[in-house]
Amino acid sequence: MKILILGNQARSTSNFWTVLMRRMRAAGHEVLCAVPAGDDAAEAAILAIGEEDPAFRKGPAVRLCHYPLDRKGLNPLRDMATMHALYRLFRQEKPDLLFATTIKPVIYGCMAARLARVPHIYATITGLGYAFEADNFFKKCVNRLSIGLYHCALAGAEGVFFQNRDDAELFRKVGILRRSARVLMARGTGVDIRRFAEAPLPPLPAEGCAPEEREIIFLLVGRLLEAKGLPEYAAAAKELKTQYPAARFQLLGPPEQGLGSVDLAQVRRWQDEGSIEYLGETRDVRPYVEACHALVLPSWREGTPTSIMEGMSMGRAAVVTDVPGCREVVEDGVNGCICAAHDPRALAAAMRRLLDEPGLLVRMGAAGRDLACREFDAEVVAEKILVDMRVPRAAG
């Protein structure tokens, strides 16, 4: 088969879907990855998929092509240009199967694929994004438009992957999915448990040491978006710093533009206040995860939180909010702590629990690694996705 992977940026496609593409290639299928231009390093990583393993050299190389995309904008002319470019791409390449991921590639990719008569169309809903927050008039208008676009796009899909059941139920409730729609579940993109290997914890505070001496390092990995809970994280950190001045609250992630983003100047102000440490952005989160004691994600809603799964795989406890996606990967008191969303005090209380009982970090970290290996291994997740899409395996 010729399989086309459609993503909204090269970096996230490389980070999240490498294992799936590698397995497609290993099975002898031709893989074409379509992303917007602009990230040479990530594109090089995509083109190199499978080269490190001689077993995969029998398969065709992953090819790469570009298409125009305004990820965050709401300009209909630009979006129509995206759809037209994708239609021409599908007509030219004639893929047997489209696997589209993230919001705009799903909407405009599935529409264009249907017009171009692509035989098999699959979409994966990785999260609902800004349009489904709907807490003011403008967002409600965007929400209604998004529902209509999703309904048109997914009408021609052979299957739709969801990363948690709450999102699937919401899509049915608002009328996006038809009753006959084939709904499939996937454990997010999974986590490469070999790449994100278990790592020893940094030194823990001595037993019985004073609160002001407890240097526990918390890390939030995510794009600079309000919906990742950045304002709550900064407020909780500010509160905890008064009692635990040695505690550190780090933030790692790229700046974002457009709706729902947190201005970099605001992040700098939080840093100047002494609440958080902004680490900038990186192509490899592993050294930062290895240097911390616990991952934090006070998100408003997730598909499945990849950063938390990566932290679990490396043996780190997690502090998350009780929202769709997060509660699928964290069990309160077992591999982390769960708190109410939109509530800085509840978040502070959850992190305080780890500051007061550092021994929990060892037990929760071990439980997280065990869970990652059993349920979130990217190899297992990728295999299930291929089976659900009825993609033939390699002969023999």
Short mmCIF file of all heavy atoms in Angstrom, two decimals, residues 355-396:
data_model
loop_
_atom_site.label_atom_id
_atom_site.label_comp_id
_atom_site.label_asym_id
_atom_site.label_seq_id
_atom_site.Cartn_x
_atom_site.Cartn_y
_atom_site.Cartn_z
N LEU A 355 6.11 17.21 48.21
CA LEU A 355 7.12 17.93 48.98
C LEU A 355 7.17 17.44 50.43
O LEU A 355 8.23 17.36 51.04
CB LEU A 355 6.83 19.43 48.94
CG LEU A 355 7.18 20.15 47.63
CD1 LEU A 355 6.44 21.47 47.52
CD2 LEU A 355 8.69 20.37 47.54
N ASP A 356 6.00 17.10 50.96
CA ASP A 356 5.93 16.64 52.34
C ASP A 356 6.30 15.17 52.50
O ASP A 356 6.74 14.75 53.57
CB ASP A 356 4.52 16.87 52.91
CG ASP A 356 4.23 18.34 53.15
OD1 ASP A 356 5.19 19.13 53.24
OD2 ASP A 356 3.03 18.71 53.24
N GLU A 357 6.12 14.38 51.42
CA GLU A 357 6.43 12.95 51.47
C GLU A 357 7.29 12.58 50.26
O GLU A 357 6.82 11.92 49.33
CB GLU A 357 5.16 12.12 51.47
CG GLU A 357 4.21 12.38 52.63
CD GLU A 357 2.97 11.52 52.54
OE1 GLU A 357 3.09 10.27 52.70
OE2 GLU A 357 1.89 12.07 52.28
N PRO A 358 8.55 12.97 50.25
CA PRO A 358 9.42 12.70 49.09
C PRO A 358 9.53 11.23 48.74
O PRO A 358 9.79 10.88 47.57
CB PRO A 358 10.77 13.28 49.52
CG PRO A 358 10.44 14.31 50.56
CD PRO A 358 9.27 13.75 51.29
N GLY A 359 9.32 10.35 49.72
CA GLY A 359 9.39 8.92 49.43
C GLY A 359 8.37 8.47 48.41
O GLY A 359 8.56 7.45 47.73
N LEU A 360 7.27 9.24 48.28
CA LEU A 360 6.25 8.90 47.29
C LEU A 360 6.81 8.96 45.87
O LEU A 360 6.33 8.25 44.98
CB LEU A 360 5.06 9.86 47.40
CG LEU A 360 4.18 9.73 48.64
CD1 LEU A 360 3.12 10.84 48.65
CD2 LEU A 360 3.49 8.37 48.68
N LEU A 361 7.80 9.81 45.67
CA LEU A 361 8.37 9.97 44.33
C LEU A 361 8.97 8.66 43.83
O LEU A 361 8.89 8.34 42.64
CB LEU A 361 9.42 11.08 44.33
CG LEU A 361 8.89 12.50 44.61
CD1 LEU A 361 10.04 13.43 44.97
CD2 LEU A 361 8.14 13.02 43.39
N VAL A 362 9.58 7.92 44.73
CA VAL A 362 10.19 6.63 44.36
C VAL A 362 9.11 5.62 44.00
O VAL A 362 9.16 4.97 42.94
CB VAL A 362 11.07 6.10 45.51
CG1 VAL A 362 11.65 4.74 45.14
CG2 VAL A 362 12.18 7.09 45.83
N ARG A 363 8.12 5.49 44.90
CA ARG A 363 7.07 4.49 44.67
C ARG A 363 6.23 4.82 43.45
O ARG A 363 5.95 3.95 42.63
CB ARG A 363 6.18 4.40 45.92
CG ARG A 363 5.01 3.45 45.76
CD ARG A 363 4.31 3.18 47.08
NE ARG A 363 3.73 4.36 47.67
CZ ARG A 363 2.54 4.89 47.29
NH1 ARG A 363 1.87 4.35 46.29
NH2 ARG A 363 2.07 5.94 47.92
N MET A 364 5.81 6.09 43.32
CA MET A 364 4.98 6.49 42.19
C MET A 364 5.74 6.41 40.87
O MET A 364 5.18 6.04 39.83
CB MET A 364 4.44 7.90 42.41
CG MET A 364 3.40 8.01 43.50
SD MET A 364 2.83 9.71 43.72
CE MET A 364 1.49 9.48 44.89
N GLY A 365 7.03 6.75 40.92
CA GLY A 365 7.83 6.67 39.70
C GLY A 365 7.95 5.24 39.20
O GLY A 365 7.84 4.98 37.99
N ALA A 366 8.16 4.30 40.12
CA ALA A 366 8.26 2.89 39.73
C ALA A 366 6.94 2.38 39.17
O ALA A 366 6.91 1.64 38.18
CB ALA A 366 8.69 2.06 40.93
N ALA A 367 5.82 2.80 39.79
CA ALA A 367 4.50 2.39 39.30
C ALA A 367 4.23 2.96 37.91
O ALA A 367 3.64 2.30 37.05
CB ALA A 367 3.42 2.84 40.28
N GLY A 368 4.69 4.19 37.67
CA GLY A 368 4.51 4.81 36.36
C GLY A 368 5.28 4.08 35.28
O GLY A 368 4.77 3.85 34.18
N ARG A 369 6.51 3.71 35.57
CA ARG A 369 7.32 2.96 34.59
C ARG A 369 6.65 1.63 34.27
O ARG A 369 6.58 1.22 33.10
CB ARG A 369 8.73 2.72 35.15
CG ARG A 369 9.60 1.79 34.31
CD ARG A 369 9.91 2.36 32.94
NE ARG A 369 10.69 1.40 32.15
CZ ARG A 369 11.12 1.63 30.92
NH1 ARG A 369 10.85 2.78 30.32
NH2 ARG A 369 11.81 0.72 30.27
N ASP A 370 6.15 0.94 35.29
CA ASP A 370 5.49 -0.34 35.08
C ASP A 370 4.26 -0.18 34.19
O ASP A 370 4.04 -0.96 33.26
CB ASP A 370 5.10 -0.94 36.42
CG ASP A 370 4.39 -2.29 36.27
OD1 ASP A 370 5.02 -3.24 35.80
OD2 ASP A 370 3.19 -2.36 36.61
N LEU A 371 3.48 0.87 34.44
CA LEU A 371 2.27 1.12 33.65
C LEU A 371 2.63 1.47 32.21
O LEU A 371 1.98 1.01 31.26
CB LEU A 371 1.45 2.25 34.28
CG LEU A 371 0.12 2.59 33.62
CD1 LEU A 371 -0.82 1.38 33.63
CD2 LEU A 371 -0.54 3.78 34.31
N ALA A 372 3.66 2.28 32.02
CA ALA A 372 4.09 2.66 30.67
C ALA A 372 4.49 1.43 29.87
O ALA A 372 4.14 1.29 28.69
CB ALA A 372 5.24 3.65 30.74
N CYS A 373 5.21 0.51 30.51
CA CYS A 373 5.66 -0.69 29.81
C CYS A 373 4.50 -1.62 29.48
O CYS A 373 4.48 -2.26 28.42
CB CYS A 373 6.69 -1.44 30.65
SG CYS A 373 8.26 -0.57 30.83
N ARG A 374 3.51 -1.69 30.35
CA ARG A 374 2.39 -2.61 30.16
C ARG A 374 1.35 -2.08 29.18
O ARG A 374 0.81 -2.84 28.38
CB ARG A 374 1.69 -2.91 31.49
CG ARG A 374 2.46 -3.87 32.39
CD ARG A 374 1.64 -4.28 33.60
NE ARG A 374 1.45 -3.19 34.55
CZ ARG A 374 0.32 -2.54 34.74
NH1 ARG A 374 -0.77 -2.86 34.05
NH2 ARG A 374 0.25 -1.57 35.65
N GLU A 375 1.06 -0.78 29.22
CA GLU A 375 -0.09 -0.27 28.48
C GLU A 375 0.21 0.79 27.44
O GLU A 375 -0.61 1.02 26.56
CB GLU A 375 -1.13 0.27 29.47
CG GLU A 375 -1.68 -0.78 30.42
CD GLU A 375 -2.88 -0.26 31.20
OE1 GLU A 375 -3.50 0.73 30.75
OE2 GLU A 375 -3.19 -0.84 32.25
N PHE A 376 1.36 1.47 27.54
CA PHE A 376 1.59 2.61 26.67
C PHE A 376 2.78 2.45 25.73
O PHE A 376 3.21 3.41 25.10
CB PHE A 376 1.74 3.88 27.50
CG PHE A 376 0.56 4.19 28.37
CD1 PHE A 376 0.68 4.24 29.74
CD2 PHE A 376 -0.67 4.41 27.80
CE1 PHE A 376 -0.42 4.52 30.55
CE2 PHE A 376 -1.78 4.68 28.59
CZ PHE A 376 -1.65 4.74 29.96
N ASP A 377 3.33 1.26 25.64
CA ASP A 377 4.45 1.00 24.74
C ASP A 377 4.04 1.36 23.31
O ASP A 377 3.06 0.84 22.77
CB ASP A 377 4.85 -0.47 24.83
CG ASP A 377 6.07 -0.81 23.99
OD1 ASP A 377 6.52 0.02 23.20
OD2 ASP A 377 6.57 -1.95 24.13
N ALA A 378 4.79 2.26 22.68
CA ALA A 378 4.45 2.75 21.33
C ALA A 378 4.41 1.62 20.31
O ALA A 378 3.65 1.68 19.33
CB ALA A 378 5.44 3.82 20.90
N GLU A 379 5.22 0.59 20.50
CA GLU A 379 5.20 -0.54 19.56
C GLU A 379 3.84 -1.25 19.60
O GLU A 379 3.28 -1.61 18.57
CB GLU A 379 6.32 -1.53 19.90
CG GLU A 379 7.72 -0.98 19.74
CD GLU A 379 8.13 -0.81 18.28
OE1 GLU A 379 7.42 -1.32 17.38
OE2 GLU A 379 9.18 -0.17 18.03
N VAL A 380 3.32 -1.43 20.81
CA VAL A 380 2.01 -2.07 20.97
C VAL A 380 0.91 -1.18 20.43
O VAL A 380 -0.01 -1.64 19.74
CB VAL A 380 1.76 -2.41 22.45
CG1 VAL A 380 0.37 -3.00 22.65
CG2 VAL A 380 2.82 -3.37 22.96
N VAL A 381 0.99 0.12 20.73
CA VAL A 381 -0.02 1.07 20.25
C VAL A 381 -0.02 1.12 18.72
O VAL A 381 -1.08 1.10 18.08
CB VAL A 381 0.24 2.48 20.83
CG1 VAL A 381 -0.69 3.51 20.19
CG2 VAL A 381 0.04 2.47 22.35
N ALA A 382 1.16 1.19 18.12
CA ALA A 382 1.26 1.25 16.66
C ALA A 382 0.70 -0.01 16.01
O ALA A 382 -0.01 0.06 15.00
CB ALA A 382 2.72 1.46 16.24
N GLU A 383 1.00 -1.16 16.59
CA GLU A 383 0.49 -2.42 16.04
C GLU A 383 -1.04 -2.44 16.08
O GLU A 383 -1.69 -2.87 15.11
CB GLU A 383 1.06 -3.60 16.83
CG GLU A 383 0.55 -4.96 16.37
CD GLU A 383 0.93 -5.29 14.94
OE1 GLU A 383 1.89 -4.70 14.40
OE2 GLU A 383 0.26 -6.16 14.33
N LYS A 384 -1.63 -1.97 17.17
CA LYS A 384 -3.08 -1.95 17.27
C LYS A 384 -3.69 -0.99 16.23
O LYS A 384 -4.71 -1.30 15.62
CB LYS A 384 -3.53 -1.54 18.67
CG LYS A 384 -5.04 -1.55 18.86
CD LYS A 384 -5.45 -1.15 20.25
CE LYS A 384 -6.97 -1.24 20.42
NZ LYS A 384 -7.73 -0.41 19.47
N ILE A 385 -3.05 0.16 16.03
CA ILE A 385 -3.55 1.11 15.02
C ILE A 385 -3.54 0.47 13.64
O ILE A 385 -4.50 0.58 12.87
CB ILE A 385 -2.72 2.41 15.05
CG1 ILE A 385 -3.01 3.20 16.33
CG2 ILE A 385 -3.02 3.27 13.82
CD1 ILE A 385 -2.12 4.42 16.51
N LEU A 386 -2.45 -0.23 13.30
CA LEU A 386 -2.35 -0.88 11.99
C LEU A 386 -3.42 -1.96 11.83
O LEU A 386 -4.02 -2.10 10.76
CB LEU A 386 -0.97 -1.47 11.80
CG LEU A 386 0.18 -0.45 11.69
CD1 LEU A 386 1.52 -1.16 11.62
CD2 LEU A 386 -0.01 0.45 10.47
N VAL A 387 -3.65 -2.72 12.89
CA VAL A 387 -4.69 -3.76 12.84
C VAL A 387 -6.06 -3.11 12.66
O VAL A 387 -6.88 -3.57 11.84
CB VAL A 387 -4.66 -4.62 14.12
CG1 VAL A 387 -5.89 -5.51 14.20
CG2 VAL A 387 -3.39 -5.47 14.16
N ASP A 388 -6.33 -2.05 13.39
CA ASP A 388 -7.62 -1.36 13.29
C ASP A 388 -7.84 -0.77 11.91
O ASP A 388 -8.99 -0.68 11.43
CB ASP A 388 -7.73 -0.27 14.35
CG ASP A 388 -7.99 -0.83 15.75
OD1 ASP A 388 -8.44 -1.99 15.85
OD2 ASP A 388 -7.76 -0.10 16.73
N MET A 389 -6.76 -0.34 11.24
CA MET A 389 -6.88 0.21 9.89
C MET A 389 -6.81 -0.88 8.83
O MET A 389 -6.87 -0.59 7.63
CB MET A 389 -5.78 1.24 9.63
CG MET A 389 -5.91 2.51 10.46
SD MET A 389 -4.88 3.89 9.88
CE MET A 389 -3.23 3.18 10.01
N ARG A 390 -6.65 -2.14 9.28
CA ARG A 390 -6.60 -3.29 8.37
C ARG A 390 -5.44 -3.18 7.39
O ARG A 390 -5.56 -3.56 6.21
CB ARG A 390 -7.92 -3.45 7.63
CG ARG A 390 -9.13 -3.53 8.58
CD ARG A 390 -10.43 -3.75 7.80
NE ARG A 390 -11.58 -3.83 8.69
CZ ARG A 390 -12.49 -2.88 8.82
NH1 ARG A 390 -12.39 -1.75 8.10
NH2 ARG A 390 -13.51 -3.01 9.63
N VAL A 391 -4.33 -2.65 7.86
CA VAL A 391 -3.13 -2.54 7.02
C VAL A 391 -2.42 -3.89 7.02
O VAL A 391 -2.10 -4.42 8.09
CB VAL A 391 -2.18 -1.45 7.56
CG1 VAL A 391 -0.85 -1.44 6.80
CG2 VAL A 391 -2.86 -0.08 7.47
N PRO A 392 -2.16 -4.47 5.85
CA PRO A 392 -1.52 -5.80 5.79
C PRO A 392 -0.15 -5.78 6.43
O PRO A 392 0.60 -4.81 6.35
CB PRO A 392 -1.41 -6.08 4.29
CG PRO A 392 -2.43 -5.18 3.65
CD PRO A 392 -2.49 -3.95 4.51
N ARG A 393 0.18 -6.88 7.09
CA ARG A 393 1.51 -7.02 7.69
C ARG A 393 2.47 -7.59 6.65
O ARG A 393 2.08 -8.04 5.58
CB ARG A 393 1.44 -7.97 8.89
CG ARG A 393 0.49 -7.52 9.98
CD ARG A 393 0.52 -8.48 11.16
NE ARG A 393 -0.47 -8.13 12.16
CZ ARG A 393 -0.58 -8.77 13.32
NH1 ARG A 393 0.22 -9.78 13.59
NH2 ARG A 393 -1.50 -8.40 14.20
N ALA A 394 3.74 -7.57 7.03
CA ALA A 394 4.76 -8.10 6.12
C ALA A 394 4.57 -9.60 5.92
O ALA A 394 4.19 -10.31 6.85
CB ALA A 394 6.17 -7.82 6.69
N ALA A 395 4.81 -10.04 4.72
CA ALA A 395 4.68 -11.49 4.44
C ALA A 395 5.72 -12.26 5.22
O ALA A 395 6.88 -11.87 5.32
CB ALA A 395 4.87 -11.72 2.94
N GLY A 396 5.30 -13.38 5.80
CA GLY A 396 6.23 -14.21 6.55
C GLY A 396 6.51 -13.69 7.93
O GLY A 396 7.33 -14.24 8.62
#
